[in-house]
Amino acid sequence: MVRLMGRSGERSPRRPGGPHARHRQDADRSRRGGEAGRPASALRSALSGRSVAGQVFVMNVVIVLLLVVAAAVALVLQVRHDSTVEARNRSLSVAATFADSPGILQALRGPDPTAVLQPRAEAVRKATDVDFVVVTDPEGVRYTHPKPDRIGKKFVGNIAPALAGETVTEEIEGTIGPLVQAIVPVEDPDGRVVGLVSAGITTENVGGTADRQLPLVLSAAAVGLALATGGTALVSRRLLRQTHGLGPHEMTRMYEHHDAVLHSVREGVLIVGGEGRLLLANDEARRLLALPPDAEGRHVSALGLPLDLAELLASGQAATDEVHLVKDRLLAINQRPTDVRGGPVGSVATLRDSTELRALSGRAESARERLDILYAAGVGIGTSLDVTRTAEELGELAVPRFADYVTVDLFDTVLAGGQPGGVTPLRRTALSGITEDVPLYPVGRQLRYVDSSPQGRSLRTGRAVLEPRLGEAPGWQAQDHERSAQVVEYGIHSLITVPLRAGTLVLGVVSFWRSVRPEPFDEDELALGEELVARAAVSIDNARRYTREHSMAVTLQRSLLPRRLPEQNALDVAYRYLPAQAGVGGDWFDVLPLSGSRVALVVGDVVGHGLHAAATMGRLRTAVHNFTALDLPPDELLGLLDELVGRIDQDEAADDSTAPVTGATCLYAIYDPVAGSCVMARAGHPPPALIRPDGTVEFPEVPAGPPLGLGGLPFETTELRLAEGSRLVLYTDGLVEDRVHDIDVGLERLRRALETAGETPEETCRTVLDARLPDRPGDDIALLVARTRVLGPEQVAEWDVPNDPAAVAEIRSQVTRRLDEWGLDELAFATELILSELVTNAIRYGGETVHVRMVRDRSLICEVFDSSSTSPHLRYAAMTDEGGRGLFLVAQLAERWGTRYTPAGKVIWAEQPVP
């Protein structure tokens, strides 16, 4: 403090006027009074007692005197203590040595112990500078003593412990004055005490040391007093020079001013030494940092300050407006080192409370966090058009930034895409939280909230409800007393329920639960929860509407697809159809029986999704059905479909809201079980896969025509010979294509899946979908697997007919015999009439070559081949007409009949049901 005041005095001359300047002028005049009188005046000033130096001198004199007195007293006490200790040690040593000396035991047992022991005791006494060596019997009667007249008398002292075998040292008033004596027992070999030896020294013989040392102490005190006087004069001169002549009163007043300013400013001030110890802290610093009363003098790291602040104060580095959080205060720290201009090592730090600024910034930070949550809600909620996934996204977004647990309960009708009803139960759709063992209702649980519960009130009123303390909410506990107790015991203490509203519809309720943060939800957080749920409600309602439309489109699409496969014996067929998750597409398939036990397989795909694609698919499927009735080959049928799609595009080109159909693909195949062949053509469709009976898989080369609707290019057909038991696999591109891999990778994966498939079409479908189906397919998938069968020679009869009407009778005879072999005698008459009419017409109008084939399958099929390309027509003959009734008769006798064309001519066929 003296140094601090001295530095203040050095700055005082810079201010004109004032007491500091006057004192400095007086000091200068006193210095100009002459160097000769300065020591004398300094000494007089020092010894006067009115100056600080004089007071220091008086204090030094008092201290020296006190030290001298204390040293003398301590010296006397120490000498006495040392003398007593020395007397004890010497007497004990002499007594023990004499007791253990040779011949002592024999002397005590002799007839005259005194004669033997007295000379020896006196010799030991003189040699060891003790005052006496006394030997007694067990009764304490002396055998020896420095004064012979005392021999035979009773020993003075406590001999009872010695008789018990112990050594005794004591201070007593003996016959020769105050003394210290030791008593040692003399024991025979059996341990029996037969005598005692005592040696002692009087107190006056071991003292006297203090008398020799006391003059030295007094001399040292006189030297110290002289040094104090000279030092006081030197200190006085230095004080006068450093304080520029300021007296004690001015120094006191200056200190009081500085102290008042230091402790009255509204900024905390800390002075830290070079070793990191706190030297000074004003009142404001103590308040801001909550310093203990004994903080000054302790290291800053031991004051309970935050680690970052303690490191800054201990480092002494310069800092400007560094912000540090101390408990609930935000402090701005400025620090400067004090040794910049030769000052002492250390630093001075000022602290400014910016808690209000922190509160403002905290509110701004809270607002920013809420904006971030709302922005994240706009981006992260509604990424899919799935109601359940949208509800899960709401929970994942709010945990843990807003709540510790979030539950979303939706009406069952909302999950199905419908509108909520008042009596429809709710279902727990999503549950997100910081832990998984929370005792809330699990996902999938059907719920009915009581009217007193917060959820029930939100659903009834359409408004959010805040329950800051769940443990004190009887309406909430009425929902389920047991589970409510578990929830409170788990630590959940606050709740916000917000209805999911989309316009006037209430879709469900969202509950925000808090457990980790001790503070309950407040009104601001209630408003944030309402805004967050309002944004999620829009996405959930969009997903609900999409679910409804998707369900309608799926229903429409499934109604347009075959509900069951037709009965036929040519193929063993299995199929799968899976709509896309993102929207209904235009994939379709069909199995169509044809004449002659043949079967047509169709797989097609309309590019795009939605109701338009499904409706277009229905139109194309209907067109295929109609074109199939004409019994056209695959290339011609695809050509007609191509023209149809082109006309559809032209008709809808004027409607901007309708997407064109261009992009539709189709694969059409006809399998003939009699010949064991398959003819197929494709329009932009993936190639079929073929599994041979031995299990090998291949993709036949089928020319890839353009997609339907492009026009201009013909389609080509490919004919395959299929052994019985072969499996033909038709599919749409959703099975082999995705956004990551191209079709080659998909085809190779399909090949590997087919190689491990079972033998039946059903097993093949299951294996392919298990291996290739993605979790959420982005496109429809249609899969059709057909295993071939072959009609053997025992089911087929063929005849070549000469171009002669007389040959008809022979054909009828052969047919009758074959029907008899097949056990179809009941059909002989009708079959003879049908074949007679068809063969006669073929001979008359069909050309040179006529061929008859009869097939026994699910029905009896009669076919007549000729080389003519003209087709007969059914007509009604007049009463006067001689002919024209043959085909009418065939139509009446047969279940179905018709004509199909071949490259060499045509075939007229008729089918009869087999009884």
Side-chain angles (χ1 to χ4, degrees):
M1 183 59 67
V2 170
R3 188 169 188 177
L4 177 61
M5 292 187 292
R7 306 191 92 193
S8 301
E10 291 174 1
R11 291 193 294 269
S12 62
R14 300 179 184 178
R15 304 182 179 95
H20 300 301
R22 290 195 298 271
H23 282 291
R24 181 176 182 275
Q25 293 171 1
D26 294 340
D28 291 339
R29 284 196 298 269
S30 64
R31 283 196 299 273
R32 288 193 298 268
E35 297 295 333
R38 185 176 301 169
S41 62
L43 182 59
R44 286 194 300 271
S45 176
L47 299 179
S48 64
R50 293 190 297 273
S51 65
V52 175
Q55 295 173 2
V56 172
F57 173 73
V58 174
M59 182 181 66
N60 287 339
V61 171
V62 172
I63 292 175
V64 170
L65 293 179
L66 290 176
L67 291 176
V68 170
V69 172
V73 173
L75 179 62
V76 171
L77 294 177
Q78 183 65 34
V79 168
R80 288 184 179 181
H81 176 268
D82 293 343
S83 299
T84 302
V85 171
E86 182 183 358
R88 286 173 175 270
N89 293 337
R90 190 188 303 176
S91 61
L92 179 61
S93 175
V94 172
T97 303
F98 194 85
D100 294 335
S101 62
I104 185 68
L105 190 60
Q106 291 79 4
L108 289 174
R109 292 176 178 177
D112 190 3
T114 301
V116 178
L117 297 176
Q118 177 68 12
R120 296 172 60 183
E122 286 301 306
V124 171
R125 180 182 66 80
K126 294 178 181 179
T128 59
D129 291 332
V130 296
D131 290 327
F132 66 88
V133 176
V134 176
V135 181
T136 69
D137 63 4
E139 301 296 331
V141 178
R142 296 188 184 96
Y143 289 140
T144 64
H145 195 277
K147 296 180 180 181
D149 59 341
R150 306 285 176 89
I151 296 174
K153 295 183 178 181
K154 196 72 172 182
F155 178 77
V156 179
N158 185 13
I159 65 174
L163 293 176
E166 298 179 0
T167 299
V168 181
T169 303
E170 57 184 357
E171 297 180 19
I172 63 171
E173 186 70 26
T175 57
I176 58 177
L179 54 87
V180 176
Q181 67 180 7
I183 304 174
V184 177
V186 180
E187 299 177 350
D188 60 7
D190 297 333
R192 185 168 54 88
V193 177
V194 297
L196 303 174
V197 177
S198 175
I201 303 176
T202 58
T203 304
E204 61 182 7
N205 290 335
V206 296
T209 306
D211 297 338
R212 296 191 299 271
Q213 294 179 351
L214 187 59
L216 180 62
V217 173
L218 295 178
S219 301
V223 173
L225 186 60
L227 293 176
T229 303
T232 300
L234 294 177
V235 170
S236 177
R237 291 182 58 187
R238 187 170 183 180
L239 286 175
L240 290 175
R241 183 172 65 254
Q242 291 184 348
T243 60
H244 300 283
L246 294 178
H249 298 290
E250 288 80 4
M251 294 290 293
T252 301
R253 187 169 60 253
M254 180 183 297
Y255 172 78
E256 291 174 349
H257 289 169
H258 287 177
D259 187 69
V261 172
L262 181 66
H263 293 285
S264 62
V265 295
R266 296 302 301 168
E267 286 192 358
V269 179
L270 296 175
I271 300 178
V272 181
E275 298 179 354
R277 296 188 178 277
L278 181 64
L279 302 181
L280 177 65
N282 68 346
D283 295 341
E284 184 68 8
R286 291 178 178 273
R287 184 184 70 86
L288 295 177
L289 300 178
L291 296 176
D294 59 342
E296 295 179 352
R298 297 170 60 182
H299 198 276
V300 292
S301 61
L303 300 178
L305 300 178
L307 181 60
D308 55 346
L309 178 58
E311 291 178 352
L312 174 63
L313 296 177
S315 66
Q317 298 177 354
T320 302
D321 288 336
E322 284 195 13
V323 179
H324 293 264
L325 181 62
V326 181
K327 295 184 179 178
D328 59 343
R329 302 180 186 275
L330 196 65
L331 304 182
I333 312 295
N334 289 277
Q335 180 169 274
R336 295 293 182 271
T338 57
D339 57 350
V340 178
R341 298 181 180 178
V345 177
S347 61
V348 176
T350 61
L351 301 85
R352 184 173 66 256
D353 188 0
S354 59
T355 306
E356 294 182 359
L357 178 60
R358 178 197 176 195
L360 293 176
S361 62
R363 287 194 290 269
E365 180 66 18
S366 299
R368 186 189 66 80
E369 290 179 357
R370 294 179 180 180
L371 289 176
D372 288 344
I373 292 177
L374 294 178
Y375 173 77
V379 175
I381 299 178
T383 58
S384 67
L385 291 174
D386 183 81
V387 175
T388 301
R389 180 55 192 158
T390 304
E392 292 173 351
E393 290 172 347
L394 170 60
E396 294 170 358
L397 174 74
V399 176
R401 289 190 287 181
F402 178 64
D404 298 319
Y405 301 94
V406 176
T407 58
V408 182
D409 306 322
L410 300 177
F411 289 104
D412 278 339
T413 53
V414 173
L415 295 173
Q419 292 188 358
V423 296
T424 305
L426 291 138
R427 190 171 299 276
R428 178 61 48 86
T429 307
L431 170 59
S432 298
I434 56 177
T435 59
E436 296 181 356
D437 58 345
V438 60
L440 298 173
Y441 289 121
V443 173
R445 175 74 174 270
Q446 194 176 72
L447 304 172
R448 289 185 183 274
Y449 288 108
V450 298
D451 292 339
S452 63
S453 65
Q455 293 87 350
R457 282 183 285 164
S458 294
L459 293 172
R460 187 177 65 256
T461 62
R463 297 181 179 178
V465 176
L466 170 63
E467 285 290 354
R469 296 174 180 84
L470 283 179
E472 304 173 4
W476 171 72
Q477 296 175 0
Q479 175 68 33
D480 188 337
H481 290 283
E482 181 179 357
R483 189 174 292 271
S484 300
Q486 295 175 357
V487 170
V488 174
E489 183 180 357
Y490 190 78
I492 297 177
H493 58 84
S494 188
L495 169 65
I496 289 177
T497 61
V498 184
L500 268 164
R501 300 185 58 183
T504 59
L505 297 178
V506 177
L507 308 177
V509 63
V510 180
S511 302
F512 300 97
W513 312 80
R514 175 168 288 179
S515 64
V516 175
R517 283 177 281 185
E519 65 275 6
F521 286 116
D522 55 24
E523 294 294 334
D524 292 339
E525 291 171 319
L526 177 65
L528 176 60
E530 290 179 312
E531 181 68 21
L532 188 61
V533 173
R535 299 197 177 196
V538 175
S539 299
I540 291 178
D541 187 54
N542 290 338
R544 177 189 68 86
R545 294 173 182 269
Y546 171 78
T547 301
R548 180 184 61 188
E549 295 180 0
H550 185 266
S551 299
M552 294 173 56
V554 170
T555 302
L556 173 62
Q557 186 182 37
R558 291 191 180 278
S559 67
L560 297 175
L561 292 173
R563 298 186 179 182
R564 62 183 182 87
L565 297 179
E567 295 180 356
Q568 46 82 30
N569 291 337
L571 297 170
D572 183 10
V573 181
Y575 67 92
R576 293 290 189 277
Y577 176 78
L578 299 175
Q581 295 291 333
V584 176
D587 293 12
W588 93 91
F589 65 92
D590 227 329
V591 178
L592 304 172
L594 301 177
S595 63
S597 294
R598 297 172 305 134
V599 177
L601 302 176
V602 189
V603 175
D605 183 7
V606 176
V607 177
H609 296 86
L611 290 175
H612 178 72
T616 303
M617 177 270 291
R619 298 170 70 178
L620 293 181
R621 179 169 178 259
T622 302
V624 171
H625 271 260
N626 294 332
F627 295 149
T628 302
L630 300 177
D631 225 337
L632 299 175
D635 55 340
E636 295 184 17
L637 186 140
L638 291 181
L640 294 177
L641 281 180
D642 183 61
E643 294 179 5
L644 174 64
V645 173
R647 287 196 301 270
I648 293 175
D649 287 344
Q650 291 177 3
D651 294 340
E652 296 180 350
D655 189 358
D656 296 336
S657 62
T658 303
V661 188
T662 301
T665 64
C666 182
L667 188 148
Y668 187 82
I670 298 176
Y671 174 69
D672 186 353
V674 177
S677 63
C678 181
V679 180
M680 63 182 67
R682 61 189 179 112
H685 203 80
L690 178 61
I691 307 177
R692 297 292 184 180
D694 59 358
T696 59
V697 179
E698 61 181 272
F699 293 93
E701 291 291 337
V702 180
L708 299 176
L710 296 182
L713 294 176
F715 297 97
E716 300 181 40
T717 60
T718 297
E719 183 174 357
L720 303 177
R721 291 292 176 179
L722 303 180
E724 186 173 11
S726 300
R727 281 168 285 170
L728 191 64
V729 181
L730 309 181
Y731 52 90
T732 55
D733 58 356
L735 186 67
V736 295
E737 287 185 335
D738 55 35
R739 297 179 179 180
V740 179
H741 306 96
D742 57 19
I743 190 172
D744 293 334
V745 177
L747 291 176
E748 182 59 31
R749 291 181 176 179
L750 177 60
R751 179 197 300 273
R752 292 197 296 267
L754 293 175
E755 288 175 348
T756 61
E759 295 183 358
T760 66
E762 190 67 29
E763 292 175 348
T764 304
C765 289
R766 187 182 308 112
T767 302
V768 169
L769 291 185
D770 290 344
R772 296 289 302 126
L773 182 63
D775 295 335
R776 300 177 63 86
D779 194 5
D780 292 13
I781 295 177
L783 176 63
L784 189 66
V785 180
R787 183 172 62 181
T788 62
R789 297 172 181 172
V790 176
L791 299 180
E794 69 280 0
Q795 293 180 273
V796 180
E798 298 182 274
W799 300 275
D800 290 327
V801 181
N803 192 8
D804 183 1
V808 176
E810 180 62 26
I811 291 298
R812 285 201 304 267
S813 300
Q814 295 183 16
V815 167
T816 301
R817 287 194 297 270
R818 180 53 62 95
L819 291 176
D820 182 61
E821 294 176 2
W822 287 346
L824 300 176
D825 296 337
E826 298 178 7
L827 301 178
F829 177 74
T831 305
E832 288 180 2
L833 291 178
I834 292 172
L835 286 178
S836 295
E837 180 60 33
L838 295 180
V839 171
T840 300
N841 287 341
I843 293 173
R844 182 178 298 177
Y845 307 108
E848 297 294 331
T849 303
V850 178
H851 184 77
V852 176
R853 184 172 71 175
M854 190 169 60
V855 179
R856 183 183 184 278
D857 195 10
R858 302 180 66 88
S859 62
L860 180 63
I861 304 170
C862 298
E863 298 175 325
V864 178
F865 299 78
D866 62 51
S867 57
S868 173
S869 59
T870 59
S871 176
H873 298 282
L874 179 64
R875 64 186 180 86
Y876 292 94
M879 295 296 294
T880 59
D881 291 342
E882 295 183 359
R885 296 180 181 86
L887 288 180
F888 179 79
L889 181 61
V890 171
Q892 294 299 315
L893 295 175
E895 184 180 35
R896 293 192 311 151
W897 76 281
T899 303
R900 70 173 182 270
Y901 293 93
T902 65
K906 68 177 183 296
V907 178
I908 302 177
W909 55 270
E911 292 185 6
Q912 302 175 72
V914 176

